[in-house]
Amino acid sequence: MRRAFEMPATIDAVDPTVVSLKAVAAGYLSDDKLAAFEIALCEALVNVVEHAFDGAGTGAITVEFEAGSDTVALVVSDMGRPAPPDLFQNAPALEAIDTMAESGRGLSLIGHLADGVSYRSSDGTNRLTLEFVRGDGS
């Protein structure tokens, strides 16, 4: 199954988009994986809004959902400012982050919660791919 979701690059659009995608993913992921999916997606979308678009509310974000036989994949695409290509290689380990900090935990959380993460930027489009291995919900 494959579906695409579009959202404006605003903080207010993050929660409804996450809720919609979580409802679709619920039929494919175990409860634990679904919780990881929700948190990682929310962190990813907030990072795109805040860093690729400076929170300015201009632009759009596309999230493609694909359920395969073994994995659920999300591809978050935008045409905002690109992130460094080694974005996830330089993220601190989850145990090294300050759990009380207001920011700076997103990349570590995404890297820890998703079973696979890749990022690339080419031809003016940024693509973050998150993969989750299907569990008991399949």
Side-chain angles (χ1 to χ4, degrees), residues 26-137:
Y28 300 96
L29 297 172
S30 67
D31 289 344
D32 289 346
K33 286 290 182 173
L34 191 59
F37 172 98
E38 178 180 20
I39 295 166
L41 176 59
C42 185
E43 289 290 341
L45 293 177
V46 167
N47 280 348
V48 172
V49 169
E50 291 182 349
H51 299 290
F53 293 102
D54 294 322
T58 57
I61 301 168
T62 301
V63 183
E64 296 173 60
F65 173 94
E66 184 172 1
S69 60
D70 298 326
T71 61
V72 166
L74 293 172
V75 178
V76 179
S77 303
D78 68 84
M79 296 177 76
R81 184 176 53 250
D86 58 354
L87 182 66
F88 286 93
Q89 289 81 5
N90 291 328
L94 192 59
E95 58 274 1
I97 62 173
D98 178 359
T99 57
M100 299 306 288
E102 286 188 35
S103 64
R105 300 177 302 196
L107 296 179
S108 295
L109 282 171
I110 293 167
H112 177 75
L113 294 169
D115 295 305
V117 177
S118 65
Y119 172 80
R120 68 183 172 96
S121 183
S122 64
D123 300 324
T125 302
N126 308 311
R127 286 181 186 81
L128 172 64
T129 302
L130 307 176
E131 290 185 340
F132 300 87
V133 175
R134 291 177 64 164
D136 298 331

